């Protein structure tokens, strides 16, 4: 028996995932088009700046890129209310808030001549080209969501749980059909695009595609990153998908803290703890680990990462030396 609509909870994130109640999902769907349009405008502006620079017209390229970064930061600012009120995710709220000043500063540095930031600009543009089509093309989005739901359900079956899958609030066969009368919280979860891991895959895909390196090493790094992210993402989905209905974190102290300081419904506590705290924090650790593995194969990605650190700290870094990379970022070995 399916639980009433008010007991359904989605799995969603940015970078990785963010939760939404049914009302939040409806609101997000109503506002998706203008938000998507702003993201597309930013990506197109990035592409225009890169095209102008490729045409050896450096001066106009910098201000165009600067405006693109400002638009990109504004896009993330528009997501703050959703992350704070609906998703109730402190981490994503903070990241969305700081995105605008950081993007604006990046644009300012570019506008004033820091040409090395064009590699990072190219990486972000490519990330958008990987992610946005999947978000805006229904048939691609449906395939990704339903495939992830099937794979997550298989993971649950390996642990002895077989709830079945039915239609979620997004209209796709993506909801885990736990019986609300037989679970601790009466709630369940359903897969959305963010649960596919596509956001994290797009980050590494953009970084890897943006740098200059031999194709074989780029393909090897890409395959490794995608494989690890896919596996860890399924583990995360299974963890959240089981913790939510079975109330793994419904202990009195945890419930008191989350309901008092996050204003959450008591029945949602296990979901919020599993999703917004444990999974999101572990996702940060996982991304650092994947980055290290990619760097060992493709140290060229250190160049855009050094630019990120410069924007954050104002200090120049030599990550190649600090990490002891075996291959120089120009493609040669340390012995040549």
């Amino acid at each position: 028996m399916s639980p009433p609509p008010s007991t359904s909870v989605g799995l969603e994130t940015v970078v990785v995932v963010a939760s939404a109640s049914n009302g939040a999902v409806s609101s997000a769907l109503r506002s998706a088009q203008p938000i998507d349009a702003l993201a597309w405008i930013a990506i197109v502006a990035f592409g225009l700046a890169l095209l102008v620079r490729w045409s050896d017209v450096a001066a106009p390229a910098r201000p165009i890129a600067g405006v693109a970064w400002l638009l990109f930061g504004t896009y993330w600012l528009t997501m703050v209310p959703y992350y704070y009120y609906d998703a109730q995710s402190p981490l994503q709220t903070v990241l969305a808030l700081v995105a605008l000043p950081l993007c604006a500063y990046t644009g300012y540095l570019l506008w004033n001549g820091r040409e090395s930031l064009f590699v990072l600009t190219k990486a972000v543009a490519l990330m958008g080209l990987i992610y946005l089509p999947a978000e805006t093309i229904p048939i691609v989005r449906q395939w990704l969501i339903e495939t992830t739901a099937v794979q997550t359900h298989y993971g649950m079956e390996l642990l002895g749980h077989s709830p079945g899958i039915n239609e979620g609030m997004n209209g796709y066969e993506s909801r885990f059909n736990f019986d609300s009368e037989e679970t601790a919280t009466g709630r369940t979860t359903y897969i959305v695009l963010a649960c596919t891991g596509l956001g994290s895959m797009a980050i590494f895909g953009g970084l890897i595609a943006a740098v200059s390196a031999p194709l074989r090493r780029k393909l090897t790094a890409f395959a490794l990153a995608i494989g690890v992210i896919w596996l860890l993402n399924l583990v995360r989905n299974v963890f959240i998908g089981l913790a939510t209905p079975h109330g793994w974190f419904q202990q009195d102290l945890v419930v008191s803290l989350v309901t008092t300081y996050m204003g959450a419904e008591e029945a949602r506590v296990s979901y919020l703890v599993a999703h917004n705290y444990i999974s999101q924090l572990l996702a940060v650790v996982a991304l650092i680990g994947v980055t290290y593995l990619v760097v060992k194969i493709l140290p060229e990605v250190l160049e855009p990462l050094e630019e990120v650190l410069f924007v954050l700290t104002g200090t120049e870094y030599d990550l190649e030396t600090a990490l002891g990379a075996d291959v120089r970022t120009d493609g040669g070995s340390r012995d040549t």
Side-chain angles (χ1 to χ4, degrees), residues 45-46 48-54 56-70 104 106-118 121:
F46 280 130
L48 178 61
L50 293 169
L51 180 62
V52 171
R53 186 170 186 267
W54 178 76
D56 291 329
V57 188
R62 292 197 300 271
I64 293 173
V67 171
W69 276 103
L70 185 61
T106 303
Y108 168 80
L109 292 172
L110 253 173
W111 196 311
N112 284 274
R114 189 173 176 86
E115 295 279 329
S116 54
L117 280 168
F118 271 111
T121 299

Side-chain angles (χ1 to χ4, degrees), residues 46-121:
F46 280 130
L48 178 61
L50 293 169
L51 180 62
V52 171
R53 186 170 186 267
W54 178 76
S55 302
D56 291 329
V57 188
R62 292 197 300 271
I64 293 173
V67 171
W69 276 103
L70 185 61
L71 290 171
F72 192 59
T74 303
Y75 162 76
W76 289 112
L77 186 63
T78 64
M79 299 299 293
V80 170
Y82 169 72
Y83 291 141
Y84 182 77
Y85 292 108
D86 299 326
Q88 296 180 324
S89 171
L91 176 61
Q92 290 180 307
T93 300
V94 171
L95 291 176
L97 278 171
V98 301
L100 179 57
L102 288 176
C103 287
Y105 182 54
T106 303
Y108 168 80
L109 292 172
L110 253 173
W111 196 311
N112 284 274
R114 189 173 176 86
E115 295 279 329
S116 54
L117 280 168
F118 271 111
V119 177
L120 182 59
T121 299

